[in-house]
């Protein structure tokens, strides 16, 4: 099956608060991703609950929703061959303690929750998450 060429990222509230938008976008561009759509916004409780609905039964769900609504984020659709897999390599492990050198989370994440960036985990979710944030008018 051919791999998709788009993924959805969020620069999370910790990284926005710490003035790391520029540094993270630089790493993303230098790794060969192009920005197809981008916005600075703040998720409501309802939006964050919907975005993370797949984690509803997890013990960290309420904390996660509360963290993700605690401040503004940057959402973007990124474009590159094999985007989902390559972006997950670039961001590194969910827990920054396990993230490899040179990954975004190794450089910028504070903890498993305040982990700087999100990346879609499959081509299907990349489409769903891209549609969650962006209308057709907002994409190139
Ligand atoms: P992300 O992969 O963007 O989407 C799910 C998020 O849940 C994950 O990033 C983490 O930030 C967050 N999270 C918080 N606690 C945990 C945990 N114990 N295990 C996995 N994910 C967690």
């Amino acid at each position: 099956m051919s791999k998709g060429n788009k993924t959805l990222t969020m620069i999370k509230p910790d990284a926005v608060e710490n003035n790391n938008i520029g540094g993270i976008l630089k790493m993303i561009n230098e790794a060969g991703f192009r920005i197809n759509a981008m916005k600075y916004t703040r998720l409501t409780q309802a939006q964050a609950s919907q975005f993370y609905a797949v984690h509803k039964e997890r013990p960290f769900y309420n904390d996660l929703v509360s963290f993700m609504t605690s401040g503004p984020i940057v959402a973007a659709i990124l474009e590159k061959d094999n985007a989902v897999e390559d972006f997950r390599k670039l961001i590194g492990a969910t827990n920054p303690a396990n993230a490899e050198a040179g990954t975004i989370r190794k450089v910028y994440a504070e903890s498993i929750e305040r982990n700087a960036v999100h990346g879609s985990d499959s081509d299907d979710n990349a489409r769903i998450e891209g549609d969650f944030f962006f209308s057709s008018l907002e994409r190139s």
Side-chain angles (χ1 to χ4, degrees), residues 63-83:
D63 275 355
L64 176 62
V65 169
S66 133
F67 165 58
M68 289 302 297
T69 57
S70 67
I73 60 150
V74 173
I77 296 174
L78 305 177
E79 200 164 353
K80 180 184 184 295
D81 285 349
N82 201 29

Side-chain angles (χ1 to χ4, degrees), residues 4-10 28 33-37 51 75-91 118-131 133-134 139:
N5 67 346
K6 291 195 181 67
T7 192
L8 185 284
T9 188
M10 288 186 282
I28 288 172
F33 292 87
R34 297 191 64 81
I35 293 166
N36 177 271
F51 188 90
I77 296 174
L78 305 177
E79 200 164 353
K80 180 184 184 295
D81 285 349
N82 201 29
V84 165
E85 202 178 315
D86 286 2
F87 191 65
R88 288 180 74 81
K89 275 189 204 136
L90 176 65
I91 65 181
H118 167 82
S120 306
D121 64 4
S122 66
D123 288 341
D124 282 349
N125 282 336
R127 263 187 300 277
I128 292 166
E129 293 172 4
D131 291 345
F133 278 107
F134 298 100
R139 306 175 191 201

Side-chain angles (χ1 to χ4, degrees), residues 2-115:
S2 74
K3 301 282 190 178
N5 67 346
K6 291 195 181 67
T7 192
L8 185 284
T9 188
M10 288 186 282
I11 300 177
K12 297 187 181 185
D14 58 319
V16 173
E17 168 66 25
N18 294 332
N19 273 343
N20 290 329
I21 296 174
I24 290 171
L25 290 178
K26 185 163 190 282
M27 287 181 77
I28 288 172
N29 283 148
E30 284 177 352
F33 292 87
R34 297 191 64 81
I35 293 166
N36 177 271
M38 184 159 70
K39 68 173 62 165
Y40 182 92
T41 187
R42 184 169 178 163
L43 292 171
T44 64
Q45 189 87 5
Q47 288 165 337
S49 302
Q50 184 191 335
F51 188 90
Y52 283 112
V54 46
H55 295 303
K56 206 162 47 193
E57 306 306 327
R58 305 282 201 100
F60 57 82
Y61 177 71
N62 287 339
D63 275 355
L64 176 62
V65 169
S66 133
F67 165 58
M68 289 302 297
T69 57
S70 67
I73 60 150
V74 173
I77 296 174
L78 305 177
E79 200 164 353
K80 180 184 184 295
D81 285 349
N82 201 29
V84 165
E85 202 178 315
D86 286 2
F87 191 65
R88 288 180 74 81
K89 275 189 204 136
L90 176 65
I91 65 181
T94 305
N95 186 344
N98 304 324
E100 286 181 36
T103 62
I104 292 175
R105 285 172 172 157
K106 181 71 177 181
V107 179
Y108 292 112
E110 297 175 5
S111 68
I112 195 167
E113 180 173 270
R114 299 171 65 83
N115 66 356

